[in-house]
Amino acid sequence: MASRHWLYFGGFVITGVLLVGVGLIGVLDALSVLSGNAYYGEEAVLLAMLGEAAEWVVVALALGLLAGAFLAATVVSVLRSASLPRSDRLVAVVERLERTSPLLRRLDISETVEPTREDRKRRLRERYVAGEIDDDEFEAEMERVMSGGSSSERPRTENETAVEREDRP
């Protein structure tokens, strides 16, 4: 069975092709006014053309809305099933975007990109093996990860705390 986002995309393509066809038929129908023997003034020609193609305009609007719905469903389906990288920095960016956009808040992407406890432990081990942190720092960070805290959260120094106090109004 085809995945859902391919079905949505197929619906978008089919409605898009139908929309182009309906548009061409509507233009031809509107141009048929010019081939008639009746004389129209400049404004009357446009009104007569619009009157002749009115049903095609309505069909085109309905197909356009349907194509838009299929496109939106495709994007949402792909975003939900996409394998996104997990990163604390990415979580911060996505959370900021979610605060500004109600549509993104519905998708709840921030939980999808938030690193799991296993991801944090693996990254911590990699840093330890690479020699970026020593034994004591590794144990402290591992304890923080196991207790549910982020490994990127580190204890603040006195200088950082003093600077934060000075920044407050």
Side-chain angles (χ1 to χ4, degrees):
M1 184 177 133
S3 64
R4 186 173 290 170
H5 58 270
W6 284 111
L7 292 174
Y8 291 147
F9 183 70
F12 168 70
V13 169
I14 290 170
T15 53
V17 169
L18 288 173
L19 182 62
V20 169
V22 164
L24 289 174
I25 291 172
V27 167
L28 289 175
D29 203 13
L31 290 175
S32 70
V33 168
L34 298 177
S35 66
N37 292 333
Y39 173 75
Y40 297 103
E42 290 178 17
E43 290 93 20
V45 169
L46 292 176
L47 289 175
M49 291 173 85
L50 186 60
E52 190 68 30
E55 66 272 3
W56 297 111
V57 171
V58 171
V59 172
L61 286 173
L63 282 173
L65 289 173
L66 190 59
F70 274 125
L71 181 61
T74 301
V75 170
V76 168
S77 176
V78 167
L79 285 177
R80 284 191 174 170
S81 66
S83 175
L84 298 173
R86 296 178 176 269
S87 163
D88 288 323
R89 290 180 185 166
L90 187 57
V91 169
V93 170
V94 170
E95 284 177 344
R96 192 173 310 128
L97 290 172
E98 284 179 345
R99 281 193 297 271
T100 60
S101 172
L103 178 63
L104 286 177
R105 198 173 311 132
R106 281 187 188 168
L107 296 175
D108 205 18
I109 297 173
S110 62
E111 286 185 16
T112 306
V113 298
E114 185 173 5
T116 63
R117 184 175 293 173
E118 294 303 316
D119 292 335
R120 294 180 197 279
K121 288 183 349 187
R122 181 184 43 79
R123 255 188 248 128
L124 190 55
R125 285 187 199 108
E126 288 172 359
R127 288 179 58 207
Y128 178 69
V129 169
E132 294 176 14
I133 56 176
D134 61 6
D135 292 337
D136 295 332
E137 194 174 351
F138 173 76
E139 289 175 12
E141 291 285 333
M142 186 60 78
E143 206 170 294
R144 189 172 297 118
V145 168
M146 295 306 290
S147 69
S150 161
S151 64
S152 64
E153 295 173 359
R154 56 183 173 77
R156 295 184 177 164
T157 63
E158 290 178 23
N159 291 340
E160 289 174 327
T161 309
V163 169
E164 286 179 359
R165 285 188 201 130
E166 289 175 9
D167 287 342
R168 291 184 187 162

